[in-house]
Amino acid sequence: MSTLLQEIEAQISGLQTQVNRQNVGVVREISDGVARVEGLTDAMMNEMLDFGGGVIGLALNLEETEVGAIILGDYLSIKEGQEVRTTGKLLQVPVGKAMLGRVVNTLGEPIDGKGPIQAETVYPVEKIAPGIIKRRSVSQPVQTGIMAVDAMIPIGRGQRELIIGDRSTGKTTIGIDTIINNARINRQAEEAGDKNHRPLYSIYVAIGQKQSNIANTLHVLEAAGALPYTIVVVAAASDSATNQYLAPFAGCAMGEWFMDNGMDALIIYDDLSKHAVAYRQVSLILKRPSGREAYPGDVFYLHSRLLERSARLSENHGNGSLTALPIIETQMGDVSAYIPTNVISITDGQIYLETDLFYQGVRPAISVGLSVSRVGSAAQIKAMKQVAGRIKGDLAQFREMAAFAQFGSDLDAKTQALIERGKRIVEVFKQPQYNPLPVEVQVAVLYAAQNNFMDDVPVDQIKDFQTRLTDFLTTRQASLMTRIAQERELKDETSAALKAAITEFKQTYR
Amino acid sequence: MRTAKQSRRDAKSLLRSCQVNGLLDEARARQAVQQVIDRKPRGYLRLLAYFKRLVQLEIARRTARVESAMDLSPEWQTRLTGNLTHTYGPGLRITFTRNAALIGGLRIAVGSDVFDGSVQGRLAVLANRF
């Protein structure tokens, strides 16, 4: 027994008691999730502050005598005079593959009831975007599975393509379709044991959305089997403005981990209009000076620093990429409002969705004239370029001619043919939601349209023709489809085989 | 009409004029307040209120509050004074107080820096970990 006591005594005497220096402040004022703290002379910008009881704040305003901090979590328990401590850490979230298949909040905490996340790494929420040395130009495609997008507005890995449109025009659907399509491609490659395949992981950030909408989206992702390749970051409408402001940055940090580790990721910010509104709210409560439409002066920087973090890294830096699909909701189709113009100028192109087209039954309601992809054509696969090279121009001409033809004047044969072709292409591009098409099917269908196979099919039967052609090609000509997918271009013999296959189909089509 | 911003700016320059080698000179501060009261410039009440707040913060920044569970011996007090002056420079006002709630150990606060070596502090850290 005496030996035990001696051992304990020796251990106690060996213990060194350390007194750490802490930087402490006192809450002077607390309102609407924002605290003003006196003291905290050592606080850093964006540093996490410990309010005690597990409540964390974020230092956003460093003033001469006090610090303005936003509270992450429940601020009702915080009282005037309470002590606040600096932590020496910037706000960070867990990252890594362990996050895939999970639904998390702004702080990376799971909210899906599937237990804790075993993430080994954490990333700071705010990070400087990769510099010019680390980057390379976009060269690999992101297959959205939406024929109109893949053919006319191609998106490359590392690109930032804005999805913009009024409410209920199918903005979210384009993002979800892309997630579903890439999950399908990932799964097929895994099953085939394709070692050269570069999977594209997705991050969906829901900002200020209704919980019912988020639940619906989750249900769609789960039903399509896309959730295992997706991280969902949720800052719903019922969450504080602080959480809504930070959610895209948290999602971006999770995406950056994939990029930094030589993988490819896609992030969808749904949507940045609500994000700007949340930031405006936080800024006004922090008493920052307001500018146009009461947004703070740095609202452009808010979005530019977020979207600049999406990049394609060079091979010397891992060859990873982060593609961003930010969504902006316009009011009455006004793209010249403050936030839409800001984000349009930051991104590498936009997909503009029109309400009129949507109600005419053209879904996805992509406006060909206003949509553009500034860098994506470099990433488009050759086969698609071969069949879709002229489609955008043809469609633009068709729209012009169609408007002209409404006056009922006689048209020459060439114009007539252009209009008839245009009508058929518009039909071909109609696609139901959550039903992305493999790129080889898109190539084959567009090949049929471009090579006059659809000219004698009535416009109202084009969809039926397309469906049956797709069935025919995927069942009876599966090897040809696989060859197109692998070769990624239409060589002479593949082109001839495709022509023969479509001719054979047409003989049976009635 | 002088704005609050102008008053704050004036209070700051008043405080700067009351400092000698970066330290607040109490005599100058008293004199400055008296002169403002005598001259009564526009918005002087707001200026003085903000000046008082700045002086309060300046005093807090240059004051070390040493709390201990029991009274410290003169040797300990001298030793602590030496150490704190060495760390924070001369002109530090040091107050020693007894606080039985600490249970044991010391708690030293200089401005917003806190060195908490008290048993109470450690128990609080432990409680936070749960």
Side-chain angles (χ1 to χ4, degrees), chain A residues 23-83:
Chain A
N23 202 252
V24 178
V26 176
V27 176
R28 199 167 67 86
E29 198 182 299
I30 171 95
S31 61
D32 303 315
V34 167
R36 304 193 80 82
V37 186
E38 209 166 70
L40 291 180
T41 48
D42 285 359
M44 298 181 287
M45 187 68 179
N46 279 325
E47 183 179 352
M48 284 162 84
L49 303 176
D50 182 9
F51 281 78
V55 180
I56 294 289
L58 191 66
L60 276 193
N61 268 16
L62 305 184
E63 291 164 21
E64 195 175 10
T65 57
E66 59 189 21
V67 171
I70 51 175
I71 315 294
L72 309 167
D74 181 23
Y75 60 87
L76 297 176
S77 58
I78 296 171
K79 291 183 176 60
E80 195 188 322
Q82 189 175 323
E83 281 196 347

Side-chain angles (χ1 to χ4, degrees), chain A residues 446-466:
Chain A
L446 288 173
Y447 181 89
Q450 289 290 63
N451 290 281
N452 312 329
F453 286 103
M454 291 186 185
D455 288 358
D456 54 349
V457 180
V459 174
D460 57 353
Q461 283 180 30
I462 287 288
K463 238 30 234 177
D464 173 63
F465 178 86
Q466 186 187 340

Side-chain angles (χ1 to χ4, degrees), chain B residues 14 31-45 47-48:
Chain B
L14 199 62
Q31 199 183 350
V33 171
Q34 195 54 52
Q35 282 196 6
V36 170
I37 292 170
D38 291 346
R39 288 184 191 173
K40 292 191 177 48
R42 196 174 282 179
Y44 74 105
L45 280 178
L47 186 151
L48 286 177

